[in-house]
Amino acid sequence: QVQLVQSGAEVKKPGASVKVSCKASGYTFTDYDINWVRQATGQGLEWMGWLNPKSGNTGYSQKFQGRVTMTWDTSIRTAYMELTNLRSEDTAVYYCARGYTTIRACDYWGQGTLVTVSS
Amino acid sequence: DIVLTQTPLSSPVTLGQPASISCRSSQSLVDSDGNTYLSWLQQRPGQPPRLLIYKISNRFSGVPDRFVGSGAGTDFTLKISRVEPEDVGVYYCMQATQLPLTFGGGTKVEI
């Protein structure tokens, strides 16, 4: 079965960086996109960007341009999202979600990674 | 960016009764390929989101048939024919017709 397993919770100081991983299993990693979505406590969902492991393409929300980098390692079926220059407003749960291109929907989601930014 | 507006914000429901959620888009979600990439997600308390419906009205694998999506253009609806206890949570619409992907603000379904 399709699974996306994310790395554990992180606590960071303002100005630091965080790198969250998302390990895929149960499907051919290069056949689907990976999207990154975040959710502040009690708030809605916010799309950060996507990557396509086959084409090598990435796309970022303008809001995070310059601060976010999405990468992957096909050999270990893992995608990464790195966010730099963290501020308190970045405290949120970060999700990876598989993007099914044909239907353009996020069909499977990771369990989420809580990133807390606090001095 | 495309703005999705959901109503109501909160929907108190009675078990066994229907519930309906509306999602209105700031512009047409019909893509140049003729498809409309509007999906619905359910987020139970403490859980990640789960895909229910894609391309307006197609139920994802394993989704009960009491969930029905409909609509066209800029106006979309998710209906739950008979609310079950496990349906409690927040429901989001999401569009993927145009980047950036955007989500509605969410509708909380509570008993």
Side-chain angles (χ1 to χ4, degrees), chain A residues 10-16 86-91 115-119:
Chain A
E10 304 259 15
V11 179
K12 296 291 183 180
K13 293 196 182 305
L86 291 168
R87 31 226 195 212
S88 58
E89 311 88 86
D90 294 318
T91 295
V115 175
T116 302
V117 183
S118 173
S119 54

Side-chain angles (χ1 to χ4, degrees), chain A residues 39 45 47 95 103-104 109-110, chain B residues 31 37 43 48-49 92 96-97:
Chain A
Q39 184 174 37
L45 302 168
W47 182 76
Y95 294 103
I103 62 173
R104 287 201 219 162
W109 292 65
Chain B
D31 191 66
Y37 297 106
Q43 188 173 32
Y92 296 94
T97 295

Side-chain angles (χ1 to χ4, degrees), chain B residues 29-90:
Chain B
L29 296 184
V30 180
D31 191 66
S32 56
D33 64 8
N35 288 303
T36 301
Y37 297 106
L38 186 284
S39 55
W40 288 95
L41 302 155
Q42 175 197 60
Q43 188 173 32
R44 291 170 173 152
Q47 296 292 312
R50 165 199 177 201
L51 178 64
L52 294 177
I53 303 282
Y54 63 92
K55 289 204 297 181
I56 302 178
S57 60
N58 296 273
R59 272 186 297 276
F60 188 58
S61 174
V63 175
D65 60 9
R66 64 179 181 274
F67 291 95
V68 177
S70 62
T74 61
D75 288 290
F76 306 92
T77 302
L78 175 69
K79 290 183 179 173
I80 311 173
S81 58
R82 295 172 308 280
V83 173
E84 303 278 337
E86 61 266 29
D87 299 337
V88 166
V90 181

Side-chain angles (χ1 to χ4, degrees), chain A residues 4-25:
Chain A
L4 298 173
V5 179
Q6 298 183 222
S7 47
E10 304 259 15
V11 179
K12 296 291 183 180
K13 293 196 182 305
S17 299
V18 69
K19 192 170 186 177
V20 179
S21 68
C22 170
K23 185 171 179 62
S25 62

Side-chain angles (χ1 to χ4, degrees), chain A:
Chain A
Q1 73 283 20
V2 175
Q3 274 196 304
L4 298 173
V5 179
Q6 298 183 222
S7 47
E10 304 259 15
V11 179
K12 296 291 183 180
K13 293 196 182 305
S17 299
V18 69
K19 192 170 186 177
V20 179
S21 68
C22 170
K23 185 171 179 62
S25 62
Y27 71 96
T28 302
F29 182 66
T30 50
D31 281 352
Y32 297 83
D33 296 342
I34 293 286
N35 291 273
W36 288 92
V37 176
R38 77 177 187 179
Q39 184 174 37
T41 303
Q43 301 301 307
L45 302 168
E46 181 176 35
W47 182 76
M48 301 178 69
W50 65 279
L51 63 91
N52 182 294
K54 179 176 283 184
S55 67
N57 291 334
T58 57
Y60 304 137
S61 167
Q62 202 157 5
K63 175 175 179 176
F64 300 100
Q65 201 86 31
R67 283 208 304 143
V68 71
T69 304
M70 295 176 187
T71 57
W72 63 97
D73 185 337
T74 300
S75 68
I76 56 172
R77 308 158 62 88
T78 299
Y80 303 92
M81 186 283 300
E82 182 174 26
L83 190 62
T84 62
N85 193 20
L86 291 168
R87 31 226 195 212
S88 58
E89 311 88 86
D90 294 318
T91 295
V93 175
Y94 289 76
Y95 294 103
C96 60
R98 192 179 82 162
Y100 189 173
T101 309
T102 305
I103 62 173
R104 287 201 219 162
C106 295
D107 60 354
Y108 290 93
W109 292 65
Q111 84 276 20
T113 296
L114 175 61
V115 175
T116 302
V117 183
S118 173
S119 54

